[in-house]
Amino acid sequence: MTTTSLAEVLDGQHASDLRKAARALLKQPLLLAHGPSADEFRLVRRHASDLREWFDRNTGWPLQVDAESARLGKIPARLADATHPAREATRSAAPFTRRRYVLLCLALAALERGEAQIALGRLAEQVVLDASDPQLTAAGIRFTLDRRDERLDLAAVVRLLLGLGVLRRVAGDEDAYVSGAGDVLYDVERRVLAGLLATRRGPSTVRAASPLERLAELTAETALDSDELRFRAMRRSLTRRLLDDPVLYYDELTDAELGYLTRQRGFLTARITELTGLVAEIRAEGIAMVDPEDDLTDVRMPESGTHGHVTLLLAEHLTAAQGPVSTADLMRKVAELAAEHGGFWSKSAREAGAEGELVEQAVTRLAALGLVSRTGDAVVPRPALARYAVGETVVLAPRTAGTTEVPAQRKAYPL
């Protein structure tokens, strides 16, 4: 082998490993040195310098790597997007509610003050004590954890933290705690806990009142008092959306953002493709960065099973709509579909009154994929939904990358 060919092989191996490391961080922005992500962590640690430089320049996401963990501080470009809620790391895939998010914050605060080990019962006591704060009470937040549903919510929070590596179960089981028959003991991984918060400033320094204003302050960049800083902010914001959202629609951009994207589209998409292997599909309405490996996604379309079939059938139905479609109309359509396809569905999906849940799950999935939007009690088809129109001959699988910061997979676009 000649020196030139050896150099080419080494360069190719470096590029391949760098791509694998970047994709690992986009898929799961908190990687641990032990456990299922150990191989990916070693790749990220080996290429930390290149990755840190790329993400800082193009997205503004900081990358912290030490001997125990790698943390990409992903901050979404659209703070009001609620289509990708946190979910338990195991068991049911139920999305986090407002109460679970509050419990998560209270639990993290208690763990930060606590020791290297903690029992779930003790954690619950700390959460109840902190929840009695007058400001939380004034906001209508109250926990006693006497009720089973409240204990179920705390167990869901703990399972999320177990999945993230903040906690490690030593003994016991959360189900026993929920039923009042036992307790659970955990080790607290303090380094992982310390790196969990992804903000540009400390929450205690925020003075805004409304949730969106507080999020904006937490994630605000430095003062944009020059053209160079404004262009940098737009480059970062657009790159974050191309990486993190299923599809970037032009009509969701400001005039300044659209002008910048029009001029720099080739540069932005090429940089993403070079690092991640994602391929730009550019249409009249927007851009999607498609994953040929179908790996960087937290929501799939199409998907097997009853709910996947219903979602696909409703997507096909919505493509023919000329405007918003009411939830009631979609429920009636599901009832019609059940008569035709019910033999392939689960028993519960064929029961009377199941239409509401089937429609809700389908619309939630379609909204998360950027295929529809909600307006009041109506569902509005978005341009990318046209891929599911009757007569389409090719439908390749979805894609993409991804908050609570963490979990953080985000993207999926059916191409």
Side-chain angles (χ1 to χ4, degrees):
M1 181 179 291
T2 67
T3 303
T4 301
S5 61
L6 176 60
E8 290 174 348
V9 169
L10 292 175
D11 287 345
Q13 185 62 48
H14 177 272
S16 176
D17 287 348
L18 182 63
R19 175 173 295 182
K20 290 177 182 177
R23 290 171 63 90
L25 283 171
L26 291 172
K27 186 176 182 179
Q28 177 56 36
L30 176 56
L31 298 171
L32 305 182
H34 54 80
S37 63
D39 291 342
E40 289 82 0
F41 167 79
R42 284 192 289 270
L43 269 181
V44 169
R45 194 177 185 193
R46 188 183 309 154
H47 297 282
S49 179
D50 290 339
L51 292 166
R52 188 178 293 113
E53 180 182 356
W54 194 96
F55 281 114
D56 178 68
R57 173 174 174 74
N58 295 284
T59 66
W61 293 336
L63 175 61
Q64 304 292 332
V65 181
D66 58 31
E68 299 297 327
S69 64
R71 175 70 165 107
L72 181 63
K74 290 177 83 270
I75 296 174
R78 294 187 300 159
L79 300 176
D81 181 12
T83 60
H84 293 262
R87 296 176 185 271
E88 293 182 46
T90 59
R91 307 267 179 157
S92 96
F96 265 42
T97 59
R98 179 174 181 265
R99 183 166 70 181
R100 287 188 179 184
Y101 275 118
V102 175
L103 277 173
L104 174 61
C105 293
L106 293 175
L108 290 173
L111 292 172
E112 181 65 29
R113 299 190 305 268
E115 303 297 330
Q117 281 192 332
I118 192 168
L120 182 49
R122 176 60 177 165
L123 178 61
E125 292 173 1
Q126 291 294 318
V127 166
V128 171
L129 181 63
D130 290 344
S132 64
D133 182 282
Q135 289 185 319
L136 291 177
T137 303
I141 297 169
R142 181 176 177 273
F143 297 113
T144 64
L145 297 178
D146 292 333
R147 302 199 315 268
R148 178 181 172 82
D149 63 323
E150 289 186 334
R151 295 196 299 275
L152 279 169
D153 283 340
L154 182 59
V157 166
V158 166
R159 286 175 181 139
L160 177 66
L161 296 177
L162 285 167
L164 296 175
V166 175
L167 298 176
R168 283 196 298 146
R169 190 186 294 110
V170 176
D173 181 77
E174 291 78 30
D175 288 339
Y177 166 78
V178 171
S179 63
D183 209 340
V184 196
L185 181 65
Y186 306 101
D187 284 335
V188 181
E189 299 292 340
R190 305 204 67 80
R191 281 193 176 185
V192 180
L193 173 64
L196 201 62
L197 190 63
T199 64
R200 292 197 173 96
R201 58 187 295 184
S204 62
T205 67
V206 173
R207 296 290 178 262
S210 72
L212 277 181
E213 289 174 336
R214 292 182 64 83
L215 284 174
E217 281 195 28
L218 281 171
T219 58
E221 298 197 42
T222 55
L224 307 178
D225 53 4
S226 69
D227 287 343
E228 181 181 355
L229 290 176
R230 283 188 286 272
F231 289 147
R232 184 188 69 177
M234 278 191 282
R235 180 180 70 245
R236 288 176 167 180
S237 175
L238 291 168
T239 303
R240 289 197 296 267
R241 293 192 63 174
L242 288 168
L243 282 171
D244 214 31
D245 291 352
V247 57
L248 189 159
Y249 287 110
Y250 297 142
D251 62 8
E252 295 176 341
L253 302 177
T254 65
D255 290 342
E257 289 172 331
L258 182 57
Y260 183 87
L261 180 59
T262 301
R263 296 190 302 271
Q264 301 294 329
R265 183 179 64 194
F267 170 77
L268 293 177
T269 56
R271 293 278 290 178
I272 293 174
T273 299
E274 180 183 19
L275 180 72
T276 67
L278 303 177
V279 180
E281 173 143 336
I282 301 169
R283 298 295 179 92
E285 302 87 1
I287 304 173
M289 298 302 299
V290 184
D291 182 13
E293 298 181 30
D294 185 24
D295 181 54
L296 297 180
T297 186
D298 59 345
V299 180
R300 297 189 176 276
M301 175 79 177
E303 187 178 53
S304 60
T306 297
H307 289 290
H309 191 203
V310 173
T311 302
L312 191 61
L313 291 171
L314 286 183
E316 188 178 278
H317 171 69
L318 284 165
T319 58
Q322 300 302 310
V325 179
S326 70
T327 301
D329 286 341
L330 291 177
M331 290 172 63
R332 283 190 287 271
K333 181 62 180 178
V334 168
E336 296 173 9
L337 293 170
E340 182 178 356
H341 302 282
F344 302 100
W345 295 0
S346 65
K347 181 179 179 181
S348 60
R350 300 194 301 270
E351 294 177 352
E355 296 86 358
E357 180 186 355
L358 292 171
V359 168
E360 177 60 27
Q361 291 205 22
V363 172
T364 297
R365 180 173 296 273
L366 294 173
L369 293 168
L371 301 175
V372 302
S373 60
R374 296 180 190 250
T375 303
D377 192 41
V379 177
V380 182
R382 298 290 279 152
L385 189 66
R387 290 189 166 277
Y388 296 96
V390 175
E392 285 286 331
T393 57
V394 178
V395 178
L396 304 182
R399 108 98 202 135
T400 168
T403 6
T404 61
E405 290 307 284
V406 224
Q409 298 178 46
R410 293 278 284 154
K411 201 159 186 177
Y413 189 57
L415 294 171

